Amino acid sequence: MKRVVEEEAEGDSRKCTRLDDASETDGVEFVRRKRRKFALLLSYSGKGYLGMQRNPGYRTIEDDLLTALLHADLMTEEGCTCPQMFNFQRAARTDKGVSAARQVVSVRLPDDIPNMVEAINKHLCSQIRVMAVRRTTKTFNCKSWCDSRTYSYMCPTFAFAPSEEMTNEKYRISPESLNKLRTTLKLYKGTHNFHNFTARKKAQDASANRYIMDIDCGQPFERDGLEWIIIKIKGQSFMLHQIRKMVGLAMAVVRGLTSEDVISRAWRKERLDVPIAPGLGLVLEEPHYDKYNKRFGSDGVHEPLVWDEVKDKIQEFREVYIDSSIIQTEISEQPMLKWLATLPLHNFSGSSEASPAPECPLGTSQAQSSATQAAATLKKGNKWNKKDGDDKGSDNEAEDEDEGDLDQYRVKPPQGQEGLIIHNGHPPSVVSPKQQQQQKGENGGVQDEEGDSSVGEAKDRGDGCTSEAMDGDSQISEATTDTSGSTSEAKDESDTKTSEAKDEGKATNQI
């Protein structure tokens, strides 16, 4: 039985250690640290990170946060390695390079740190900030309690310029094009089958149906010599690449490369060629907790999960680290301009034939040259299945996954320790190639999801586990599979031997 230790008396040589779990150590008295469920509000710039969710060997927001919790004495070594021990969960997974103005994480933490926000931020880089902390109910899960999520997509207005006009930084959107954009975006509202707006999902999958509550764009504004516009999308949940494909198809419609009816055709079983807009500009605005706030926000014990008191801090962070990063990257690297050169190559149908590159007045030779490269990529990799009634997804990795070069996101070991890997911010440890391959397989390869899995998806998968268990360590699943497989083989072998013994007339009482 562990007991709380008072202040050490003078001359008392007993060792006093704070206890985070039920481990036993002889001759040591412990102070048990009671853990409670908290909701952490994060703001971060995704530049240089391979998304939110942990991926061993790569820089992720989750790894940096867990390491900061460890250094702030809020997380144990075991919890940092396996955060499911403390019910760690994120409200939404963000793709590589995608930022978040408001991201929510739920986790059990000790309540004996007076200023938890400052204690955590002290160990985080300037790109990631904890803005607020809230005590929640002990059963709170930031993913399953989330009613809806709002994303925004910030891009230059020349992305919506008619294809016959010059596309460059001098373009300013006309009232006609702005009205056409708003009319096109409203076609997405409601519940639709978005199987054409994600990768490798069939039309008959129930999880392909998603509810878009609201979608609209604000007024254009100028900054650093470019005119910009922000599209906001609110929905219950989003699938891999769904938002970027919705925006990409809207751009093609407004530019006059296809008609509005392509959106209604996308809800049908037929597989269409839908372009995916660049990831730069996509931002998680906020996960919403209306039902939780209504049920617990006014009970006199818990606070509602609204963040009005830190909205000025969030806006200041966004201006410095998110919006500025999007604008400067667009000006220096021109990802949107290069992508627009490839947009006319799509035929917006299920045909495997790639359209020839048209003469498109993009304004720069660099963007023009990227069209030739994109044409070769589409012709080489676009493997649409032409069979009637076949709704198999595209196998084109370049289009569906859009991974690019992942080396820039790798965690680099110190010089002279190239054979070692760094994980969770701990000192490097020796890992064999076989173990590295096993870890890669356990984590399902590279995480690349801009959206999030809904509660409905968990039910569709048929596994009766909670969302924490679904995001847990897959070693348990693999171990269970191996054990059951071995048991099955042993049973089959035993049954065979028993059958042979009976056939030979050898009596046995063993089973």
Side-chain angles (χ1 to χ4, degrees):
M1 176 72 70
K2 304 293 184 298
R3 60 188 178 84
V4 178
V5 178
E6 304 292 341
E7 276 188 21
E8 272 190 56
E10 187 176 352
D12 193 350
S13 60
R14 291 179 301 175
K15 184 178 179 182
C16 180
T17 305
R18 286 190 293 185
L19 181 69
D20 279 294
D21 51 29
S23 61
E24 298 198 8
T25 305
D26 295 335
V28 181
E29 297 190 46
F30 295 98
V31 175
R32 182 180 295 277
R33 303 180 72 189
K34 186 158 186 174
R35 289 179 173 269
R36 302 183 185 276
K37 184 66 74 69
F38 288 92
L40 276 60
L41 177 68
L42 300 177
S43 297
Y44 57 82
S45 169
K47 186 175 182 180
Y49 285 90
L50 193 69
M52 172 70 183
Q53 192 172 8
R54 165 183 291 175
N55 198 319
Y58 295 93
R59 292 188 68 202
T60 61
I61 303 294
E62 193 171 295
D63 265 343
D64 279 14
L65 175 62
L66 290 170
T67 302
L69 292 174
L70 174 65
H71 292 160
D73 198 23
L74 291 166
M75 183 76 72
T76 63
E77 290 271 356
E78 295 80 8
C80 194
T81 303
C82 184
Q84 288 75 27
M85 291 175 58
F86 300 110
N87 304 126
F88 183 90
Q89 184 62 274
R90 86 288 300 167
R93 287 177 286 185
T94 50
D95 194 1
K96 60 177 172 22
V98 176
S99 303
R102 297 169 185 82
Q103 167 76 284
V104 176
V105 167
S106 57
V107 62
R108 287 194 302 113
L109 298 174
D111 56 358
D112 55 0
I113 302 294
N115 193 339
M116 197 178 295
V117 172
E118 184 179 341
I120 301 172
N121 285 337
K122 190 186 305 181
H123 303 284
L124 287 170
C125 69
S126 58
Q127 276 184 246
I128 310 173
R129 295 285 94 179
V130 175
M131 294 295 181
V133 175
R134 290 275 193 280
R135 269 284 311 279
T136 65
T137 61
K138 64 180 181 180
T139 59
F140 175 74
N141 181 302
C142 64
K143 184 176 179 181
S144 58
W145 270 104
C146 184
D147 309 302
S148 57
R149 300 158 178 88
T150 298
Y151 283 82
S152 67
Y153 191 88
M154 179 178 174
C155 62
T157 57
F158 63 65
F160 303 99
S163 56
E164 65 273 7
E165 293 188 25
M166 184 64 70
T167 303
N168 55 31
E169 66 278 359
K170 296 179 181 180
Y171 178 81
R172 298 295 180 265
I173 193 168
S174 65
E176 294 77 19
S177 294
L178 188 59
N179 289 333
K180 186 176 181 180
L181 171 60
R182 286 174 172 155
T183 302
T184 303
L185 293 176
K186 289 188 183 301
L187 297 175
Y188 289 117
K189 290 185 68 173
T191 302
H192 302 287
N193 190 325
F194 282 92
H195 75 101
N196 270 310
F197 293 83
T198 188
R200 292 185 293 277
K201 189 176 285 290
K202 296 182 178 181
Q204 60 264 33
D205 290 346
S207 60
N209 292 288
R210 300 295 164 123
Y211 175 41
I212 304 300
M213 301 175 177
D214 192 24
I215 179 169
D216 201 359
C217 64
Q219 288 295 323
F221 61 94
E222 290 195 29
R223 186 165 169 182
D224 293 355
L226 283 172
E227 187 180 57
W228 299 83
I229 198 166
I230 296 178
I231 299 172
K232 285 196 174 182
I233 306 173
K234 182 178 181 180
Q236 281 186 334
S237 59
F238 300 92
M239 297 177 291
L240 172 71
H241 293 163
Q242 180 183 340
I243 296 175
R244 290 164 61 188
K245 288 202 170 192
M246 291 169 65
V247 173
L249 190 56
M251 289 176 179
V253 171
V254 177
R255 286 177 68 86
L257 299 175
T258 186
S259 58
E260 287 185 355
D261 68 339
V262 71
I263 296 179
S264 59
R265 285 195 291 115
W267 313 138
R268 303 172 191 167
K269 190 176 180 181
E270 177 191 6
R271 192 72 185 182
L272 301 184
D273 176 16
V274 179
I276 176 172
L280 182 69
L282 184 62
V283 178
L284 171 62
E285 289 291 332
E286 184 176 6
H288 304 278
Y289 296 94
D290 298 334
K291 291 181 182 177
Y292 176 87
N293 293 337
K294 185 177 180 180
R295 183 172 178 180
F296 300 107
S298 58
D299 61 0
V301 178
H302 304 95
E303 297 179 83
L305 298 182
V306 292
W307 320 102
D308 293 339
E309 75 279 7
V310 292
K311 63 180 180 180
D312 293 336
K313 287 174 58 179
I314 294 173
Q315 184 60 33
E316 182 181 354
F317 178 88
R318 177 171 187 155
E319 286 288 332
V320 175
Y321 291 99
I322 299 178
D323 293 349
S324 296
S325 175
I326 293 172
I327 291 171
Q328 293 305 317
T329 304
E330 180 61 46
I331 292 174
S332 60
E333 301 177 15
Q334 299 182 326
M336 179 60 72
L337 197 61
K338 295 175 184 177
W339 178 79
L340 288 174
T342 70
L343 190 57
L345 300 172
H346 294 270
N347 51 32
F348 308 100
S349 70
S351 172
S352 62
E353 292 293 328
S355 303
E359 293 184 5
C360 185
L362 288 168
T364 66
S365 58
Q366 187 179 17
Q368 295 268 7
S369 62
S370 66
T372 306
Q373 297 175 356
T377 302
L378 287 177
K379 288 179 180 178
K380 180 180 178 180
N382 205 354
K383 302 175 182 177
W384 299 98
N385 195 322
K386 294 183 180 181
K387 294 181 180 179
D388 294 336
D390 190 354
D391 54 358
K392 183 180 178 182
S394 168
D395 294 324
N396 184 355
E397 296 297 328
E399 167 137 351
D400 284 344
E401 298 303 334
D402 189 31
E403 289 296 347
D405 184 9
L406 299 180
D407 287 339
Q408 58 182 314
Y409 304 104
R410 288 188 183 277
V411 178
K412 301 293 191 302
Q415 189 174 5
Q417 296 180 333
E418 287 75 8
L420 311 178
I421 66 168
I422 299 176
H423 185 51
N424 297 338
H426 300 301
S429 57
V430 178
V431 179
S432 67
K434 183 178 180 180
Q435 289 174 316
Q436 292 185 30
Q437 186 66 27
Q438 184 180 5
Q439 287 179 355
K440 184 176 180 182
E442 289 167 358
N443 288 274
V446 175
Q447 171 64 36
D448 182 26
E449 183 162 348
E450 69 193 10
D452 32 77
S453 299
S454 65
V455 179
E457 283 185 308
K459 293 179 181 178
D460 292 334
R461 283 195 291 266
D463 44 353
C465 58
T466 62
S467 55
E468 289 103 330
M470 282 189 288
D471 284 331
D473 195 348
S474 60
Q475 285 181 335
I476 300 173
S477 175
E478 291 181 4
T480 306
T481 305
D482 292 341
T483 305
S484 60
S486 301
T487 306
S488 177
E489 290 175 3
K491 185 178 179 181
D492 291 341
E493 185 178 354
S494 176
D495 292 343
T496 302
K497 290 181 178 179
T498 304
S499 177
E500 290 175 355
K502 288 181 179 180
D503 291 340
E504 295 174 5
K506 296 179 180 179
T508 178
N509 293 326
Q510 294 181 354
I511 299 176

